[in-house]
Amino acid sequence: MTYTNSKLTRPLNDSAFYSSLRRSDVFLCSYPKSGITWLGFLMAHVLKHDPADQLDLNTFSKFIPSICDAYVKRESLAQYADFLDPRFFRCQATFDTKLPRVIYMLRDPRDAMLSYWHYKRFLDSEFNISLADFLAGDHSPCEWNQHVEGWLLPQRHPRFFLVRYEALHENTAGVLKEVLKFAGIKCTDAKINAAVEASRFERMRAAEERGGVAGRVGEQYERFVRRGRIAS
């Protein structure tokens, strides 16, 4: 097979990746900067064992790791063999029926693309493309509408749950509860509310200031947790 969205042209041997999946695995997928870090941060606070454990934007990945590179290269997930079921992973996969269960984050493209432009500046000190040129050019793995339409039209993944960023913003506890139900995680309202409090944007920003975020080599004033607002 050929994975064109990553701009790879060589056929991939996908046997290592797909053979390492479990039926109970849950993938949090989205177009870049559409909210899966926030959702993953929320869920990590539910999954962590010690209530006193203070998570930051690096350590929460021990509960819900990002496997974008492993997915693109179709590498085995054997390093996560000791994770308890269900395992949770974050990636930006395009439509893929071989993924056992998928939670797909959908965000208003105006907000997603603005956030993505800031993120590129966060990652690369030499990224000096204007927002207008960024929107008009080819600077992303694939088009937003291609990524979204792949998951939503014309067919749906058989085990699929759609989360709208705006709904998560408006009713964080309620949406998180539905996400956990889909994933098969039983959780008290008290723990959900605690996760919501721990994952408010001001607290995530404080966690970023305290522990940093892996990958940052760009503009010093850019932040991974920027605003997180609707119609930003």
Side-chain angles (χ1 to χ4, degrees):
M1 66 181 296
T2 302
Y3 189 64
T4 56
N5 286 336
S6 66
K7 300 181 181 179
L8 296 177
T9 57
R10 61 180 179 82
L12 296 173
N13 179 358
D14 56 19
S15 59
F17 179 82
Y18 291 112
S19 65
S20 66
L21 296 179
R22 300 174 186 168
R23 180 170 173 76
S24 59
D25 287 344
V26 182
F27 284 78
L28 279 60
C29 300
S30 77
Y31 189 81
K33 300 303 291 180
S34 293
I36 59 171
T37 297
W38 179 27
L39 180 58
F41 199 72
L42 281 160
M43 295 179 69
H45 277 88
V46 171
L47 297 174
K48 69 177 184 175
H49 308 297
D50 184 355
D53 189 7
Q54 296 295 312
L55 300 182
D56 60 32
L57 294 178
N58 297 310
T59 60
F60 91 96
S61 292
K62 66 185 179 182
F63 297 101
I64 308 183
S66 172
I67 52 103
C68 289
D69 287 345
Y71 181 78
V72 168
K73 299 174 183 177
R74 300 297 195 268
E75 295 174 342
S76 171
L77 299 179
Q79 63 179 303
Y80 308 109
D82 61 344
F83 277 37
L84 299 177
D85 294 337
R87 300 183 301 182
F88 295 89
F89 301 107
R90 292 174 289 131
C91 73
Q92 295 161 1
T94 51
F95 182 71
D96 187 347
T97 57
K98 292 183 179 180
L99 299 182
R101 286 188 286 180
V102 172
I103 297 169
Y104 188 77
M105 284 287 295
L106 176 63
R107 187 181 187 184
D108 186 315
R110 295 168 296 181
D111 292 330
M113 295 308 297
L114 177 58
S115 184
Y116 194 25
W117 178 72
H118 280 283
Y119 181 56
K120 297 285 280 189
R121 292 164 58 86
F122 172 93
L123 290 176
D124 185 357
S125 60
E126 297 182 359
F127 183 83
N128 57 6
I129 299 170
S130 70
L131 178 59
D133 289 341
F134 176 76
L135 295 175
D138 180 20
H139 304 290
S140 58
C142 69
E143 297 293 333
W144 179 91
N145 62 314
Q146 292 176 340
H147 201 285
V148 173
E149 288 174 0
W151 283 106
L152 302 185
L153 300 173
Q155 56 186 336
R156 283 285 186 94
H157 188 284
R159 306 179 78 190
F160 177 90
F161 189 83
L162 176 65
V163 176
R164 294 184 182 275
Y165 180 92
E166 295 76 17
L168 185 63
H169 200 283
E170 181 178 347
N171 181 16
T172 308
V175 173
L176 178 59
K177 187 174 184 177
E178 291 300 312
V179 166
L180 294 170
K181 181 180 178 181
F182 169 79
I185 299 294
K186 294 182 179 180
C187 186
T188 65
D189 288 344
K191 192 164 188 179
I192 288 175
N193 291 334
V196 172
E197 285 299 316
S199 304
R200 293 192 182 281
F201 276 91
E202 60 270 21
R203 297 196 178 207
M204 291 183 69
R205 171 62 70 86
E208 178 177 358
E209 297 299 333
R210 183 173 63 250
V213 180
R216 176 181 180 166
V217 294
E219 295 290 348
Q220 292 302 304
Y221 61 82
E222 291 286 4
R223 295 293 182 269
F224 185 88
V225 180
R226 194 176 62 88
R227 295 175 66 189
R229 298 177 184 174
I230 299 171
S232 57

